[in-house]
Amino acid sequence: MIDDSIKNLKNYVNADLFYREYLDGRNINDFNDFEIFCIKHCKDIMTLVEYYETTKELYENKTKFYNNKINELNKIIDNQNKIINDLQKGGK
């Protein structure tokens, strides 16, 4: 759901004529107040989109890292449980 909103915001920014002209090098002094407002609005949107994407990537990387560590610990626990069970059965 949020990924759809991010996609929609990117599409909105990419479709904004004033922002495109600004990125293409049109001098900011050549824009009227409304156009400058639109440009600032698009910059704010892109700042938040980039922050979200960076934060999401960091979260996903940390999640993968910790899931791998949990899996490693579970393997150790399973091995220890097997040893304990073997010892309880008479050391088989």
Side-chain angles (χ1 to χ4, degrees), residues 14-73:
N14 287 329
D16 189 280
L17 176 66
F18 307 126
Y19 189 62
R20 296 272 47 105
E21 290 178 2
Y22 168 75
L23 292 178
D24 288 341
R26 183 175 164 198
N27 191 318
I28 193 75
N29 295 324
D30 295 335
F31 292 99
N32 65 38
D33 288 344
F34 175 75
E35 294 167 335
I36 291 171
F37 171 81
C38 291
I39 292 166
K40 288 181 179 179
H41 182 69
C42 288
K43 286 172 135 180
D44 289 341
I45 290 170
M46 288 310 297
T47 297
L48 291 174
V49 165
E50 289 167 4
Y51 177 80
Y52 167 78
E53 289 175 339
T54 300
T55 302
K56 180 182 176 188
E57 183 179 345
L58 287 171
Y59 171 79
E60 288 171 350
N61 288 340
K62 285 188 178 202
T63 299
K64 286 177 188 175
F65 173 81
Y66 287 115
N67 282 340
N68 287 338
K69 291 298 177 188
I70 289 169
N71 288 335
E72 289 174 17
L73 288 173

